[in-house]
Amino acid sequence: MGAGAGSGRGQLFLRSLLFLLLSGSPAPRLASGQLRYAVPEELEHGAFVANLGEDLGLDVSTLSARRFRIVSRAGARQHLEVNLENGILFVNERIDREEVCEAGGICLLHLQLLVESPLELYRVEVEVLDINDHAPTFPWQEYVLEVAESAVLGARFPLESAQDPDVGTNSVHTYRLSPNGFFSLEVQTRSDASKFAELVLERALDREQQRTHRVLLTALDGGVPERSGTAHILVTVLDANDNVPVFDQPSYGVSLPEDAPAGTLVIQLNATDLDEGPNGEIEYSFSGHAPPRVRELFHIEPRSGQVLLKGPLDYERASLHELYVQAKDRGPSAVAVHCRVLVHLLDVNDNAPEVTLTSVSTPVLEDAPPGTVIAVISVLDRDSGDNGRVSCEVSPDIPFELRSSFRNYYTLVTTQALDREVVPEYNVSITARDMGSPALLTLSTLTVPVSDVNDNAPHFLQPSYSVYVMENNAPGASICSVSALDPDCQQNAYLSYSIADGHIHGMPVGTYVSINSDSGHMYALRSLDYEQIRSFQVQVQAQDAGFPPLSANVTVHIFVLDQNDNAPVIVSPMPRNGSVATELVPRSAGPGYLVGTVSAVDADTGLNSRLSYQLLQATDFTLFSIAPDTGELRTLRSFLEQDATRQRLVVQVRDGGQPALSATVSLLLSVVETMPQTLSDFSEFSLPPEDSSSSPLTVYLLVSLGSISFTFLLAILILTAIRCRGERRSCRGDGCSPPRCHCCPGSRPSPESLKTSNLTAQPPTGTTAATCLDVPGGGPPGYCYKVCLGPESAQSDFMFLKPCSPPWNNEKDSRKQSQPGQHLQVSKQIKQPNMDWLPPSMQRPALKRYQIQHCRNRGSG
């Protein structure tokens, strides 16, 4: 099938080429100010039509840059296209003349060519020439023709005509009939030059001899090469019904408005038959070759012959409809007769104008000069005459107008300067109105956005900013925010903030503050100190991203607020080298005597630097007072004999901040009988050793510590006595063997055993259990001792000795332990030491000596 299709396309191409050679080259013809070409149908894609660039006098090299193109309605098929490289008009898709132009006659393709920079419009007509690409066809492959045997010689029987979509010489030209002995064929021509065939009886029929006759009817067109179509005719010989219906006239013509409703009577047909009865009853119907479109639009009543409107009519689609109607009686051997009804449609203004935006140049810059072309607009009305004449206009209150360049083509241009900040977008209403009665109009809206130009500088919301920042602020904390606005849009309105170069106390301003370039938030880069800098100002600049960029400046005044962050500093007296400031006071001083003045300063200001003085501690509060405002230290009364000769004072200086900060100074006043000749206020001298022991607090501590130590020592003695008495009773009742280790007389170990005994055994690391070591020969002669060491024994100054009485069944193991070379056995006993009872370190050696001596005495007793 692929080879057959390829050979078919090749033959079609050869026929098209032959047609071009016979008809001549498609040289352009200038008709009514426009170019006109001719091209045969069914050409392959890419077939040459014309050289538009040469015929229009255009520079081929600029066609692509000037956007040279064919303007077509939305949804329309693009049969032809222009090659922008060489300006050649070529076939874009196969053109079927019978599909493009349903009606006969000249078939034209109207092209609108548009080129920009500058804007130019051309109109081109391309005539589609018919080629013989269709063969004649019959409605049916086989016809049944009933002929009465009484038919006379020379009787004519009209046959169904063959149809050929081609026109001119390519349509049906003649008919041929296969050889037979009864019928001949005559070809007739109608008033519209169409051909039809009639079967002529040449020999009398005899139904009894031959009931049917078969002949082959061939229809041939006049094209080159010639095409044909065939149909078989079956002639059935019937008994006589020798009269056929006859129409009043062979063709009818009627006019009908295109907006006629369904059911409208188009025409009343009338045919007569001289026969009577069923042979004279006539039925009307469409002939077999009536196209489907006719059957959709019209309907025939079979008995009355009324032709009624069935579907909607459209003058713009087809202005003429051709109806083929047949009439046949109901008798036997009925013969159908045909007539043609031509229905001419009358145009009605039923199509509103169509507005098409051919080329739109949006958005438009707000500084575009007047006369700038915004869009090319085409209008089309499918009606004819005045119903198809269209006028176009826009609203007068907008800065745009329409200028007509060609018929039904307008350009939308600006009439004055635009301002995007005032009107950012225009909705242009385009009204297209035809000249019909009543007139129809179409309203189309074109949105024209105005593109921004950087013609507005930013402006800050305030002329200046004042910011108050508490000192000791956290570095990096936000202190304020500045904001600016720009009426422009997009990048022209995108603002970036920066700090202008400058210096604050000799340092760049960038070391003090920074600013977020996007949000305008300002941050302090260092902790500010009110005592060093109290105010400064910076210049902030807001700049847009337009080209060229525009900017604005604003001054930001930053004031530092004081905070109570400085404690008072005592200037006088000043203690040095760890000593206390001292002063001599004569015993003879009376009330109000000025002992000295305490002076202090505060680096803060305001209430934070207002100082007050008070006595925090004193040996005797009834003896001295200090002025809260001046710091003058004076006596309240005269000295008495029982008053101490050394008075210790602690003076506190407090500021007025919230919270308040303070400083203290210790003073030592010595009461003397006579004053030296020269003595500075609050001179320095070292304290005597007995001064510290005279404090009541020290005495209380010594008494408490002695009581606790005595109680602890007494408890130890009682426990030791009870333990030793129990051991002595055990030795008397059970006996005592030397190898056993307990508090009873026995043989002393050999010196070798003392040498091999390891008294440096350490408890296991990490254990909290007490460790007991058997120490043979470690006590007096005839005794063995068990030294109990806690886990803190390495740091403890105490060693408790207590008798050891191991069980009797461990006698063998005890002997092994006393042998030379054996380490002391370590037994674990889980018990936490209690450190709360420990006496002072000064009393520990005496306590240890007393305990050991007491244990020996009890053992010997």
Side-chain angles (χ1 to χ4, degrees), residues 4 6 26 57 90 152 172 178 302 321 343 409 436 445 457 502 592 609 627 651 681 685 735 751 803 842 853:
F90 63 94
V152 296
V172 177
S178 63
H321 293 282
V343 180
Y409 277 86
T445 301
S609 63
V651 178
D681 289 348
F685 61 92
M842 298 173 59
Q853 184 65 34

Side-chain angles (χ1 to χ4, degrees), residues 96 185 287 337:
D96 188 355
L185 191 68
S287 65
V337 295

Side-chain angles (χ1 to χ4, degrees), residues 373-394:
V373 177
I374 305 302
V376 178
I377 302 167
S378 64
V379 293
L380 174 65
D381 195 315
R382 298 180 181 277
D383 297 324
S384 60
D386 290 339
N387 297 332
R389 295 176 56 191
V390 181
S391 63
C392 203
E393 60 185 6
V394 295

Side-chain angles (χ1 to χ4, degrees), residues 784-804:
C784 64
Y785 291 88
K786 185 176 184 179
V787 182
C788 298
L789 303 177
E792 293 85 1
S793 61
Q795 293 83 19
S796 177
D797 295 332
F798 297 99
M799 181 179 296
F800 299 100
L801 304 178
K802 54 185 178 180
C804 175

Side-chain angles (χ1 to χ4, degrees), residues 115-438:
V115 62
E116 297 180 357
S117 302
L119 184 67
E120 295 178 358
L121 185 67
Y122 302 93
R123 300 184 65 181
V124 176
E125 290 182 353
V126 178
E127 180 182 359
V128 181
L129 303 178
D130 183 52
I131 64 174
N132 190 23
D133 58 339
H134 294 88
T137 58
F138 289 91
W140 297 283
Q141 293 297 321
E142 184 173 311
Y143 293 89
V144 177
L145 180 62
E146 297 177 347
V147 179
E149 63 178 350
S150 60
V152 296
L153 298 179
R156 297 175 177 271
F157 304 96
L159 302 176
E160 285 287 343
S161 300
Q163 296 294 325
D164 193 335
D166 298 326
V167 296
T169 58
N170 296 326
S171 63
V172 177
H173 180 64
T174 185
Y175 295 87
R176 283 203 299 258
L177 190 67
S178 63
N180 64 90
F182 293 89
F183 301 94
S184 65
L185 191 68
E186 287 189 7
V187 179
Q188 303 292 336
T189 303
R190 298 188 181 95
S191 59
D192 58 349
S194 61
K195 307 288 186 178
F196 68 96
E198 291 182 343
L199 198 62
V200 180
L201 184 60
E202 298 290 340
R203 180 180 173 186
L205 300 175
D206 188 357
R207 180 178 175 277
E208 286 69 21
Q209 291 183 6
Q210 188 176 354
R211 301 182 62 178
T212 60
H213 300 271
R214 287 184 175 274
V215 293
L216 180 65
L217 179 64
T218 303
L220 298 99
D221 60 22
V224 178
E226 186 181 66
R227 289 177 174 268
S228 63
T230 60
H232 293 277
I233 300 176
L234 177 62
V235 180
T236 302
V237 180
L238 303 175
D239 284 341
N241 177 18
D242 52 349
N243 289 290
V244 295
V246 177
F247 284 98
D248 296 338
Q249 53 191 49
S251 63
Y252 299 85
V254 64
S255 297
L256 190 67
E258 66 172 331
D259 60 348
T264 301
L265 177 63
V266 179
I267 192 173
Q268 175 69 57
L269 298 176
N270 186 25
T272 58
D273 193 333
L274 299 179
D275 295 331
E276 294 180 354
N279 294 332
E281 295 176 3
I282 301 175
E283 290 184 351
Y284 301 88
S285 64
F286 284 114
S287 65
H289 206 72
R293 177 65 177 167
V294 171
R295 297 177 185 270
E296 293 175 0
L297 296 177
F298 301 95
H299 169 69
I300 298 179
E301 288 293 334
R303 302 304 297 272
S304 64
Q306 290 182 346
V307 179
L308 303 176
L309 183 61
K310 181 180 177 182
L313 302 174
D314 190 358
Y315 176 86
E316 287 69 33
R317 183 172 181 178
S319 60
L320 175 65
H321 293 282
E322 194 172 13
L323 285 64
Y324 293 96
V325 183
Q326 68 178 9
K328 182 190 294 186
D329 60 25
R330 302 182 64 187
S333 305
V335 176
V337 295
H338 303 79
C339 76
R340 185 177 64 167
V341 179
L342 298 178
V343 180
H344 299 273
L345 300 185
L346 301 178
D347 186 36
V348 177
N349 191 22
D350 59 342
N351 290 283
E354 298 176 6
V355 179
T356 304
L357 301 176
T358 302
S359 178
V360 180
S361 299
T362 57
V364 58
L365 293 175
E366 62 177 332
D367 61 348
T372 301
V373 177
I374 305 302
V376 178
I377 302 167
S378 64
V379 293
L380 174 65
D381 195 315
R382 298 180 181 277
D383 297 324
S384 60
D386 290 339
N387 297 332
R389 295 176 56 191
V390 181
S391 63
C392 203
E393 60 185 6
V394 295
S395 302
D397 56 346
I398 57 176
F400 301 94
E401 68 176 5
L402 288 175
R403 295 178 183 176
S404 178
S405 54
F406 297 96
R407 183 175 179 270
N408 293 338
Y409 277 86
Y410 299 86
T411 55
L412 180 66
V413 298
T414 59
T415 58
Q416 63 186 39
L418 306 177
D419 190 355
R420 191 206 65 84
E421 286 70 32
V422 178
V423 181
E425 186 178 84
Y426 291 90
N427 292 320
V428 181
S429 297
I430 303 170
T431 304
R433 191 190 315 270
D434 61 22
M435 303 299 177
S437 180

Side-chain angles (χ1 to χ4, degrees), residues 462 464-470 478-482 513 522-524 528 534-538 540 555-561:
Q462 300 180 17
S464 64
Y465 292 83
S466 296
V467 182
Y468 297 90
V469 182
M470 187 68 68
S478 176
I479 58 175
C480 71
S481 177
V482 298
V513 293
M522 295 184 64
Y523 304 90
L528 302 177
R534 300 192 175 186
S535 66
F536 59 93
Q537 65 183 22
V538 295
V540 177
T555 302
V556 180
H557 301 275
I558 300 175
F559 299 94
V560 183
L561 301 179

